[in-house]
Amino acid sequence: MDPTKRTAGNEYIEITGAAEHNLKNIDLSIPKRHFVVFSGVSGSGKSSLAFDTIYAEGRRRYVESLSSYARQFLGQMDKPRYDAIRGLAPTIAIEQKKATSNPRSTVGTITEIADYLRVLFARCGEQHCHKCGRRAGRSSPQELVDTIRAKFANERITFTAPLFQDRKGEFRETLQALQAQGFLRVRLNGEIARIDGLKIPPRSKNSLEAVVDRMKVDEENSIRLTEAVEAALRLGDDWLKVLHGNEEHVYSTEHACTECEIGLPEPAPQLFSFNNPLGMCDTCEGIGKRMEADPKKVVPDESLSINQGAVVPWRKVLDRASMSRSYIEGIAEALGFSLDTPWRELPRDIRKKLLYGTSENVEISVVSGSRRWKSNRPLEGVLNRYARLFRETRSSGTRMFYMQFMSQADCPDCNGTRLREEARAFLTGGKNMAELSAMTVSEAWHFFEHLKLEGNALVVGTELVKELKNRLRFLLDVGLEYLTLDRAGATLSGGESQRIRLASQLGSELSGVTYVLDEPSIGLHSRGQRQVAFHARKAP
């Protein structure tokens, strides 16, 4: 098409004399608001035209429009080789490449769906106790009064207000203030004492509580019970303790479980993020996986005996006389098996003890030259030993040696969900954050399509649910209904990563933008009996 016969503007992108790389002074007009395909043999200049000319120039012009202060952080961008380009809109390139190699990145974080889920759970989630599963949350002073009255009916109890926990100091000013308010006793490190003449060791850590009242819980002391609870909460910063005999019970108006008598975290978006210390599992630090010693790598060939090298880490030790070899022989003598017996023929309990250790002591005799000594302690086991050494070593070379016996396994504490148990105890629509993240895109969309919110959650969560459904819909439109939201970004193929970025750009609602897509997104993608066109959504 002759570019001189058209006027660049809202209808066409006019390119004259494109000569980047292997292009030979190409002139062409590209209609806007259409799906345009560049096709040709390898090396014909498709990428040079789409990425190195159109996209590069659109990006360069946008950067040039910024202030000089902003441009200093973006670096200098070279101008592509061409004579003229007119009618060019801001451009966005969606190339086929891995989204990320970061182990913390998932489909949910890449598409920002996880961000909206965190806010939804923080604002609309129902908090439950992670220990007993009961509904938990804030309690009013009157609710605490009713709980204490029902639990300690006709019993004598003592109310205390926690002031300091494991703090050094004499607390003179605090004791004087308590006396001025009319308090006579405190509880210091679990012992009740009068304030008069009390001396606190300044260099040791001490726990201090104010004794608010002592009473029998009955109808005559009903008003007094309410006053004691309110006074203890006011003095203990919304926390109080009830002493009943040798038992100690903790209550709070903050987020807490009155049944388990434990405090619970305040719901916040950070609590539901495995990339934040508040929400990540402490064991795996939000990765969801742990390196564990693999029995198949430690004993790869079960037809061999230990003397023949069945236990790979012991091979070099058994090749020569040493104290370590004598120790292994002592283990065999103590457990009653032969080092020449093939591994698969050893009793199952023997193999289990060698790999995973024992809880009871095992007496082992070790002979080294003229020296003879005995060890009487539990066996650590080969797998436990190498897992411990792998975690403790600071040498990269030693770590690489141990890696040959290790494999990734789901974290035993969070079961691969990456979140701490307090975060997993919040429910929305009967599902917790981990369960929602384990859903496929299609399952998650149907979940939010039928989600019923009530009360304050309806007011707060309506827009959040709407945004979540929109983002999930874009993923459905590009044929990614089978991906789970917790799928690691590093495991995505190049085409899947590209379509995720395409869905994110479609969801940005930009207008007047030229999208430049790499080859795998051009054409049709078949999944089952359904044909999904990547250009199904027409650019605005």
Side-chain angles (χ1 to χ4, degrees), residues 155 421 431 514:
E155 300 286 342
E421 56 181 350
K431 301 289 185 181
T514 300

Side-chain angles (χ1 to χ4, degrees), residues 280-438:
M280 68 172 58
C281 169
D282 292 331
T283 303
C284 64
E285 296 182 343
I287 300 296
K289 302 286 185 180
R290 283 189 70 184
M291 294 300 295
E292 298 289 347
D294 188 343
K296 293 183 179 180
K297 292 185 177 181
V298 172
V299 187
D301 188 352
E302 295 188 355
S303 64
L304 300 177
S305 68
I306 294 178
N307 269 336
Q308 292 174 327
V311 182
V312 177
W314 287 354
R315 284 179 179 175
K316 292 185 178 180
V317 172
L318 294 171
D319 286 343
R320 60 186 184 276
S322 64
M323 184 174 293
S324 297
R325 177 183 174 87
S326 180
Y327 183 75
I328 295 173
E329 292 172 344
I331 293 176
E333 182 182 352
L335 297 181
F337 70 93
S338 172
L339 296 177
D340 294 317
T341 303
W343 179 267
R344 65 162 59 103
E345 296 180 13
L346 291 175
R348 179 176 296 180
D349 64 322
I350 297 294
R351 287 179 287 172
K352 184 176 180 181
K353 289 178 180 179
L354 291 175
L355 292 177
Y356 299 98
T358 64
S359 57
E360 68 278 1
N361 291 339
V362 177
E363 186 173 325
I364 301 171
S365 296
V366 181
V367 179
S368 178
S370 60
R371 296 179 57 194
R372 184 181 184 91
W373 54 278
K374 290 186 178 182
S375 169
N376 188 21
R377 58 184 180 182
L379 286 179
E380 186 176 19
V382 180
L383 300 182
N384 293 339
R385 172 179 169 77
Y386 275 82
R388 175 179 61 81
L389 293 175
F390 176 79
R391 290 191 295 268
E392 292 177 354
T393 184
R394 296 184 179 180
S395 168
S396 58
T398 306
R399 183 178 291 270
M400 289 300 296
F401 170 76
Y402 294 142
M403 280 286 288
Q404 64 182 312
F405 306 116
M406 313 292 284
S407 293
Q408 273 197 342
D410 284 344
C411 173
D413 288 346
C414 68
N415 296 319
T417 61
R418 304 175 179 232
L419 292 170
R420 65 192 309 163
E421 56 181 350
E422 291 89 342
R424 303 197 304 270
F426 282 78
L427 301 181
T428 296
K431 301 289 185 181
N432 62 31
M433 182 75 169
E435 292 170 333
L436 266 178
S437 298

Side-chain angles (χ1 to χ4, degrees), residues 87-196:
L88 185 61
T91 57
I92 295 174
I94 305 176
E95 303 177 73
Q96 185 194 22
K97 62 181 182 180
K98 287 281 187 177
T100 178
S101 58
N102 189 339
R104 295 185 177 276
S105 182
T106 65
V107 171
T109 60
I110 294 171
T111 58
E112 298 182 356
I113 289 175
D115 296 335
Y116 288 95
L117 284 177
R118 292 164 190 159
V119 178
L120 179 68
F121 272 87
R123 300 292 178 261
C124 306
E126 298 176 355
Q127 189 173 27
H128 293 74
C129 176
H130 58 278
K131 292 187 178 295
C132 67
R134 294 174 180 268
R135 181 73 183 272
R138 293 183 181 274
S139 300
S140 67
Q142 187 56 48
E143 289 174 332
L144 294 185
V145 170
D146 295 338
T147 300
I148 294 170
R149 180 184 288 117
K151 189 168 186 176
F152 303 104
N154 298 316
E155 300 286 342
R156 296 196 65 83
I157 60 175
T158 301
F159 287 96
T160 68
L163 301 176
F164 299 103
Q165 181 72 27
D166 294 332
R167 288 264 306 269
K168 291 183 179 181
E170 296 180 329
F171 310 126
R172 290 181 182 177
E173 295 181 358
T174 301
L175 296 176
Q176 292 174 359
L178 289 174
Q179 279 187 306
Q181 296 176 52
F183 293 97
L184 302 177
R185 295 175 176 83
V186 293
R187 186 170 180 243
L188 178 65
N189 301 326
E191 299 292 333
I192 295 178
R194 292 186 63 87
I195 297 178
D196 291 336

Side-chain angles (χ1 to χ4, degrees), residues 473-502:
R473 169 53 63 185
F474 287 127
L475 291 174
L476 290 173
D477 288 343
V478 296
L480 295 177
E481 70 281 351
Y482 58 92
L483 289 182
T484 58
L485 297 178
D486 61 358
R487 171 84 171 265
T491 66
L492 297 172
S493 68
E496 288 170 335
S497 301
Q498 186 178 28
R499 280 180 276 158
I500 285 177
R501 289 195 296 274
L502 175 60

